[in-house]
Amino acid sequence: MAYEKLLNEIYAAVSLEYLWPEYRPRFVKSESPDWINEGMDFGLEVSQALLPDDGRTESLIERYLGCRKEELPQTVFDRYGERLHFYNDRFWAILPDEQREQDYLYKAKYRFDRKLEKLNKNYRRCGQNGLYLFLHPKKAGDVDVEALFSYMKERQTQTEIGFDWVFLNCIKVIYVCDFNKDDLNEILLPENAELFLAAEAERLRQDPKWDIKSELNGFA
């Protein structure tokens, strides 16, 4: 499911706060990367495994998120139809195209390469640098995570700086790539955890403080 950027960023931070054993308080909102954790000297960038073709969908979400059904132009319904997802009668997300075969591995590699390039060019570098990727598979087995881990490891030998951690969100499981220890682990989401994390992220996203650009917001 393709969500709006800030909601994705909040969900990523919340999921690590509750599920990642290495987590220490606290994440503070930033830009490039999206979160800074001073206590861990850790920066976290959040992204979706999307291709440039998906940019139109992402832009549409950014533009109309939170609008009522009647506020969306007919062209949006013509293009996306039943893929439009509404929450409390407001536009919230776009569901994946079930009729279109998805190459999740290719998308993940593409997005990782773009973020690795930016880490080496214009991101704030911390003692530890992390990337959180939403892969949006139908099921965890749709992604060859070990092949992706090997690819990312090899790519980072070609750059000055690499990510210490990459988190691969596959809905029911979050794969944790620890490149310092050359280790690949998984966090299985407990029963109802997905619903809880989504509800918590949505609750935090609705807080008007996110619209105060001068304020950096954090999690306790």
Side-chain angles (χ1 to χ4, degrees), residues 31-198:
E31 288 295 334
S32 299
D34 297 307
W35 296 100
I36 295 292
N37 187 316
E38 297 286 359
M40 297 178 67
D41 193 13
F42 178 54
L44 181 69
E45 178 69 7
V46 181
S47 186
Q48 300 188 70
L50 300 175
L51 297 176
D53 296 7
D54 301 316
R56 183 187 300 181
T57 298
E58 198 167 21
S59 296
L60 184 143
I61 293 172
E62 295 290 331
R63 181 175 181 180
Y64 293 108
L65 183 83
C67 291
R68 295 189 178 278
K69 287 184 179 181
E70 58 269 22
E71 296 175 323
L72 270 65
Q74 184 59 43
T75 53
V76 173
F77 289 95
D78 293 341
R79 179 175 178 81
Y80 296 101
E82 294 183 357
R83 292 175 59 199
L84 297 173
H85 176 70
F86 293 88
Y87 177 78
N88 287 340
D89 204 38
R90 292 182 179 275
F91 175 56
W92 203 243
I94 295 178
L95 301 170
D97 187 352
E98 300 293 344
Q99 305 302 317
R100 180 181 176 187
E101 186 174 350
Q102 302 290 326
D103 190 339
Y104 300 104
L105 185 60
Y106 180 76
K107 286 185 175 185
K109 288 179 178 179
Y110 176 86
R111 187 54 54 191
F112 173 80
D113 286 345
R114 302 289 79 74
K115 292 300 181 179
L116 182 62
E117 180 181 4
K118 289 185 177 181
L119 175 66
N120 280 270
K121 286 185 176 180
N122 58 7
Y123 280 7
R124 171 181 169 180
R125 299 180 184 180
C126 299
Q128 298 186 90
N129 301 284
L131 174 64
Y132 191 111
L133 274 180
F134 290 89
L135 270 59
H136 305 295
K138 293 180 183 177
K139 55 184 183 300
D142 287 343
V143 183
D144 189 340
V145 177
E146 291 188 358
L148 182 54
F149 179 80
S150 297
Y151 175 84
M152 294 187 294
K153 178 181 174 182
E154 172 61 26
R155 282 287 292 113
Q156 295 197 144
T157 64
Q158 305 169 27
T159 57
E160 177 188 352
I161 187 170
F163 290 106
D164 300 278
W165 303 87
V166 175
F167 305 90
L168 306 172
N169 186 303
C170 293
I171 303 177
K172 299 294 184 182
V173 58
I174 299 173
Y175 293 97
V176 182
C177 304
D178 183 345
F179 292 104
N180 292 322
K181 296 181 179 179
D182 192 21
D183 199 17
L184 174 62
N185 292 303
E186 60 183 39
I187 299 174
L188 295 173
L189 271 65
E191 186 177 0
N192 297 324
E194 184 185 348
L195 291 175
F196 168 76
L197 294 174

Side-chain angles (χ1 to χ4, degrees), residues 209-216:
K209 72 181 180 181
W210 297 108
D211 295 326
I212 304 175
K213 304 302 183 184
S214 60
E215 181 179 344
L216 294 179

